[in-house]
Structure formats: C-alpha cells, structure tokens
Amino acid sequence: MFTTDIGVDLGTANTLVCLKGKGIIMREPSVVAYDIRNDAVRAVGKEAKEMIGRTPGSIVAVRPLKDGVIADFDVTAAMLKRFVKQSLKGSFFSRVRMVVCIPAGVTEVESRAVYDAARQAGATDIVLVEEPMAAAVGAGLPVHDAAGNMIVDIGGGTSEVAVISLGDIVTAQSIRVAGDDLDEAIINYIRRKHNLLIGERTAEQIKIEIGSAKPYEGETSIEIKGRNQVDGLPKNVIISSEEVRIAMADTISQIIDTVRQTLEKTPPELAADIIDRGITMTGGGALLRGFAELIAEETGMPVTVAANPLDCVVLGTAKHLEADSAFDNYTFRRGKRFR
C-alpha cells in the first residue's frame, strides 16, 4: 500500500512515464546535458535537447541510448533517476515498483543494464517487458485470443515486428534500424548531393515536415540551413519531398523486409488470421506519410496505424501495472526479475 507503480517506455528518442491510476505524466526526449568538468547533470529532456550542437566545450549534450539499448550506463541512470524524481514530486511513498520496456532482440547483458539503471534510479521491484507485447496491449489488440495479432513498432532506435497469440509472442523480429536511421540517411544524402552539412535536429524536422514513404498529393519543398562543405560558410538549400523519399528508401526497405521475414516465420493458421485482422503499426515511424500504405502494398495485408502510436508502449506498461488479463500468459522472457 506504500508503493508507487511506474511504467517507463525507455526509448532511444523519447522516454515516456506513466503512473498507475494517473496515465501518462511525462513525455521527454531521451537527452542529457552534463558538465564534463565534474560530471554534473545540467539538464535532461526538452531542455537538454535544445542544447544539442549548441554547447560550449565544457558541456556535452548526448543521447545515452542507441539502437534501443543503453550506450552510456551512468548517463542513462542519471536521466532515469531525474525522470523518476520528477514523477514522484510531492509523493510520500518510499517504494517504487517499475515496469520498463526493452526491445525483443536484446541480449541478457543489455537487459541487465536496463535493470541496473532502474535500480540506481530508485526502483525496488523491477519487471522488464518486451516492447512489441506492450505495444500490442497498449494499442488495444485482443492479444489473449487464440488468433494471430501482428504488431509493427517503429521507434527511434529499433523496429520491432511480432505476431502474438494467446497472450504471448509466437514469433518476433527486431532490427536496429528505425527513425534515427531515417534521419541519418537524410543527413548523408544532403551531404553527398548538396555538399551541405546539417544536424540531427534539422534532419528530423525535414522528415516530419515533408518526408514520406510514397508520393503524396500536395508535395512541397523546404528551405534548410547548414554549413557548406566546400568553403565552410553557412548556406541555404531547398529540398523537395521527392529527394527526402529517395534518401530514406533503403532504410524503409529494410524495415519492410523485416515485416516480410516475420510473416514467413508465422504458422499458417496465424498467417490466415493476420489476413483478416491486418497489421497494426505503432511508434513514431508509423506517422511517416504513406508508410502504412506501402507496407500494405508490399505484403498484401491490410495495415492500420494505432490511435495513439507514440503512446502504445507506455500504455501497455500501464495495463501491466493494473494487472490487466492480457499479460496472464506472458512468459516475460526478457522480463524476468533479476536477483
């Protein structure tokens, strides 16, 4: 009775936190700014993201997670601790029970690192849940039915594809190709084609404003600013939607290939269910224009985007905290409690 239950979607791009009975209470970029002179954390979340590429030599703004897993343990632990502290502001409960989501393809060492980071953040009881399972439950799919439910969760660092039946994962594929790789592809294309160097924030802005997986009506262009590779001076360049689509084509193809491979490994009866029920997309990548339609064309399956694709994973952790029956048969393959 003196425990606070917290669900965390510890993502490469964003971290979302929910409290049992209160829903989502925090949505922050997974970015930390710290002073290298004394290792003191200066800012986390939105404030730290604003500093990327704009800090003096004594301050470093970093994203401590890469490809869905912890790249810098100490910085991740400090970030998570700050988020938990903000979440518990004004609370008098001393014990924290935490459910944290991890990619389906992580190793035991990587999952242990997440557990240890949560422990350092102040959690006393920690459970790790695979992201595709949490996303499917958060999207409202009937995962406890004896029928196939296919989920495609495209985040910042990983793309997770899974088929779920009877409350557990039947087959899953996880690749470390996702939204960050789309940004990187845009950066590389503009550097090669226009001799212009741009940053991650500019690439993300281009992707959101004019990016698409397929041609769409009303395509437009955007003027971007960067540094000319030839003379080193600032320069403006106009980029079209078609150019952005060409830049992202290879990365998008890799994600679609993963969907195909998962379908090939799916038992025939469940594959027949997916033809009827379709594929559900979650994560930030699901918001890319035309992505769902392109997957539908390539697989021949109906594809829908979840109602709140960015929130599905953390909503799944909230249902776990509420002891939702959807998790009754889930084996927690990567979600066991470490001792």
Side-chain angles (χ1 to χ4, degrees):
M1 63 181 292
F2 296 107
T3 300
T4 300
D5 293 337
I6 297 178
V8 180
D9 174 13
L10 189 62
T12 306
N14 297 288
T15 295
L16 284 78
V17 179
C18 68
L19 282 183
K20 183 179 179 180
K22 293 187 178 180
I24 300 170
I25 61 166
M26 185 179 296
R27 192 194 313 268
E28 294 279 350
S30 301
V31 183
V32 179
Y34 65 94
D35 194 323
I36 59 176
R37 293 170 296 189
N38 53 15
D39 287 337
V41 174
R42 296 288 296 268
V44 297
K46 293 189 183 90
E47 186 181 352
K49 187 175 182 180
E50 292 295 322
M51 298 181 184
I52 291 179
R54 295 172 173 167
T55 58
S58 60
I59 299 175
V60 178
V62 297
R63 296 171 62 180
L65 290 104
K66 182 172 176 60
D67 297 334
V69 296
I70 292 175
D72 189 321
F73 177 81
D74 292 333
V75 176
T76 302
M79 178 184 74
L80 196 54
K81 187 173 184 177
R82 183 75 68 92
F83 287 156
V84 171
K85 186 177 179 180
Q86 291 176 11
S87 303
L88 298 179
K89 201 172 183 180
S91 173
F92 59 87
F93 296 115
S94 58
R95 290 175 57 85
V96 175
R97 185 167 74 103
M98 188 180 294
V99 177
V100 188
C101 289
I102 56 175
V106 299
T107 64
E108 290 295 333
V109 173
E110 290 165 341
S111 55
R112 177 77 202 206
V114 175
Y115 174 89
D116 289 342
R119 176 72 74 185
Q120 283 202 20
T124 52
D125 187 19
I126 302 145
V127 176
L128 307 183
V129 180
E130 290 162 305
E131 286 177 4
M133 184 66 190
V137 174
L141 298 183
V143 296
H144 52 272
D145 290 357
N149 298 276
M150 190 168 192
I151 190 87
V152 177
D153 180 45
I154 305 170
T158 60
S159 294
E160 314 273 334
V161 185
V163 176
I164 300 170
S165 178
L166 289 172
D168 206 349
I169 296 174
V170 177
T171 182
Q173 292 269 104
S174 177
I175 61 167
R176 299 183 178 187
V177 176
D180 287 350
D181 297 274
L182 293 173
D183 297 342
E184 188 66 28
I186 294 171
I187 292 171
N188 292 336
Y189 177 87
I190 293 174
R191 185 176 66 237
R192 290 194 313 267
K193 184 75 180 292
H194 298 281
N195 283 324
L196 189 74
L197 294 175
I198 62 170
E200 294 176 9
R201 292 181 61 199
T202 301
E204 185 181 25
Q205 178 191 357
I206 294 168
K207 179 182 68 178
I208 292 170
E209 292 191 15
I210 64 172
S212 68
K214 286 183 62 183
Y216 64 96
E217 190 175 341
E219 288 190 359
T220 183
S221 301
I222 184 173
E223 185 180 53
I224 59 170
K225 299 175 178 66
R227 179 160 57 86
N228 192 335
Q229 286 192 108
V230 178
D231 56 19
L233 299 175
K235 179 184 175 183
N236 290 0
V237 167
I238 295 178
I239 302 294
S240 68
S241 298
E242 184 181 4
E243 286 185 285
V244 178
R245 190 162 53 251
I246 292 170
M248 300 189 298
D250 288 344
T251 305
I252 290 172
S253 294
Q254 290 182 58
I255 296 171
I256 293 175
D257 286 343
T258 304
V259 176
R260 281 206 202 94
Q261 290 167 17
T262 307
L263 285 168
E264 289 170 3
K265 294 180 180 179
T266 303
E269 294 294 335
L270 295 181
D273 295 333
I274 295 169
I275 292 174
D276 296 331
R277 294 176 173 229
I279 299 170
T280 301
M281 292 183 68
T282 62
L287 298 174
L288 183 66
R289 294 179 189 84
F291 207 168
E293 291 84 350
L294 185 60
I295 292 177
E297 287 180 9
E298 294 292 332
T299 62
M301 307 280 181
V303 180
T304 57
V305 177
N308 299 296
L310 294 171
D311 302 341
C312 287
V313 173
V314 76
L315 290 175
T317 67
K319 291 189 177 182
H320 181 276
L321 293 171
E322 294 162 5
D324 192 283
S325 60
F327 288 97
D328 287 351
N329 295 332
Y330 183 54
T331 57
F332 295 97
R333 278 186 291 273
R334 301 292 182 189
K336 61 187 179 186
R337 288 172 171 81
F338 293 96
R339 296 299 182 188

